Amino acid sequence: MLEHYAVVDGAELDRFRATVASFLTPHRLSPAGRSVERIEGSVAVARLGPLSLVYGEHRGAELDVALTEQVDYYDVNLSWQGHNRITCGDEEVVVDGRTAAIISPRMRATMRLSDSYHQLHVRIERYAFERHLEQLLGRPVLAPIRFGQAMDLRNPAAATWASSVRLLVDDLSALDGLAAQSTNESPWSSFLMTGLLLSQPHNYTDQLTQQHSAPRPGGLRRALDLIEQHPEDDLSVERLALAAGIGARSLQRQFHEYVGVTPREYVLQVRLARAHEDLVVARPGTTTVADVAFRWGFSHVPRFAAAYRQRYGELPSVTLNAG
């Protein structure tokens, strides 16, 4: 599967493990319970902007896998053949034809892969996924998305999402397919992110499905537009109220009712999101954390770093150096 995107084919165990780790998460990998003469595996990777498909298969033995680092992205595990027993904390999910598993950021898992297991990982970068949710909600996302770990593929919405992934795989397998024509800014990424948010329960499900009976007031929309367009500016409540054409107290009440956070918190989260986007693509040595912090309106770098770590689970210097 995904033959045109193969990065290693028929590799022995150590090379197979190293290749998978380079596209997913570092881990220990060993045959389960017995020694075997030879285990080989193949890996294929197709990138579509913030979403990647990582396909792996192995043959020769059952395998035990233990992640040695926390996952820093969203990983949907789908079985193409065989099964995988995934344990995260006290929860265990068996991935097979009826069930997928979702590993969310900051989770660490162990796995037992059946012999001749064929698996597909749908990897979605955290910063892009949470930004996508923010756009759907029209408000900042203040904590990581936490999905229910087991995804029942017999559920109609989940089944449709999984079928869409299979359609994408089939399309990528054709050299002249639609997806292959636009891998840098593929509409598939947005479609699958939205579909996953709608088909699988998570800690923002209630907010996502809630619909206001009336549109947002015009003054509030003007304040939000100013924040989105110029988050680096000095955006006090008084200035936002002036732009909105209403009093400061009325603006704060509208933020609470329609956005769910204070104006100050909304400005902070937009600034953090912009800073994160810059740090992800920045080149170490040409950009510093302070450069990015000042660019987006943070005058105190240690406080910026603390807020960034609370939001993204790591210091901004880690994000910068990873880039």
Side-chain angles (χ1 to χ4, degrees):
M1 192 177 71
L2 294 175
E3 294 86 354
H4 304 306
Y5 298 87
V7 293
V8 65
D9 187 23
E12 294 188 353
L13 187 61
D14 285 346
R15 188 179 175 203
F16 173 71
R17 181 202 58 76
T19 303
V20 173
S22 68
F23 293 103
L24 295 173
T25 301
H27 59 273
R28 295 190 299 271
L29 180 65
S30 59
R34 64 186 180 90
S35 60
V36 293
E37 292 184 2
R38 182 177 178 82
I39 298 174
E40 7 179 89
S42 303
V43 181
V45 180
R47 293 190 178 93
L48 298 98
L51 183 145
S52 300
L53 302 181
V54 181
Y55 175 77
E57 61 180 66
H58 76 277
R59 48 203 167 275
E62 288 188 329
L63 296 178
D64 282 331
V65 178
L67 304 187
T68 55
E69 296 180 9
Q70 293 180 344
V71 171
D72 61 0
Y73 50 89
Y74 294 88
D75 186 359
V76 186
N77 292 252
L78 295 160
S79 170
W80 246 244
Q81 176 179 306
H83 62 269
N84 178 13
R85 189 178 301 274
I86 300 179
T87 303
C88 292
D90 297 330
E91 188 170 2
E92 183 177 273
V93 178
V94 177
V95 179
D96 54 22
R98 297 176 299 178
T99 306
I102 304 179
I103 302 177
S104 299
R106 304 184 189 177
M107 296 177 68
R108 185 176 292 179
T110 60
M111 307 177 188
R112 170 67 66 86
L113 280 59
S114 66
D115 191 2
S116 298
Y117 181 55
H118 296 193
Q119 60 185 318
L120 182 73
H121 297 261
V122 180
R123 171 178 175 149
I124 306 173
E125 302 306 322
R126 177 181 171 183
Y127 77 91
F129 206 9
E130 292 176 5
R131 181 65 175 157
H132 188 75
L133 176 58
E134 287 178 339
Q135 293 170 344
L136 294 176
L137 290 174
R139 66 184 65 173
V141 169
L142 305 183
I145 307 166
R146 284 283 180 265
F147 285 98
Q149 190 175 332
M151 186 176 188
D152 186 353
L153 301 180
R154 295 167 295 185
N155 175 282
T160 298
W161 187 86
S163 296
S164 299
V165 173
R166 289 181 177 272
L167 178 62
L168 172 58
V169 169
D170 291 341
D171 188 59
L172 285 168
S173 296
L175 283 174
D176 56 352
L178 179 63
Q181 310 306 315
S182 57
T183 55
N184 289 330
E185 297 183 4
S186 172
W188 279 99
S189 297
S190 177
F191 172 71
L192 290 177
M193 286 191 287
T194 299
L196 186 59
L197 288 166
L198 295 176
S199 63
Q200 179 67 4
H202 51 83
N203 52 331
Y204 291 95
T205 293
D206 290 344
Q207 297 180 42
L208 191 60
T209 56
Q210 178 184 6
Q211 295 185 357
H212 297 294
S213 57
R216 289 174 171 176
L220 175 61
R221 293 199 305 272
R222 288 191 291 273
L224 292 172
D225 287 343
L226 177 59
I227 296 171
E228 290 290 339
Q229 293 168 11
H230 301 288
E232 72 280 6
D233 286 358
D234 180 12
L235 297 177
S236 64
V237 174
E238 290 73 21
R239 183 182 175 190
L240 291 171
L242 182 63
I246 58 177
R249 187 168 295 181
S250 295
L251 180 65
Q252 290 175 319
R253 184 174 62 252
Q254 290 181 8
F255 261 89
H256 176 75
E257 180 178 353
Y258 290 93
V259 184
V261 296
T262 66
R264 182 179 179 181
E265 182 64 24
Y266 189 92
V267 171
L268 172 64
Q269 296 304 323
V270 172
R271 287 175 174 174
L272 287 173
R274 301 295 174 80
H276 182 75
E277 291 169 359
D278 281 2
L279 289 166
V280 166
V281 300
R283 295 176 59 188
T286 61
T287 302
T288 68
V289 170
D291 291 337
V292 174
F294 295 146
R295 182 183 305 146
W296 293 110
F298 295 96
S299 58
H300 192 277
V301 176
R303 280 200 290 269
F304 161 68
Y308 185 95
R309 184 173 188 174
Q310 183 177 14
R311 169 75 185 271
Y312 293 105
E314 64 183 18
L315 289 171
S317 57
V318 175
T319 306
L320 176 61
N321 291 328

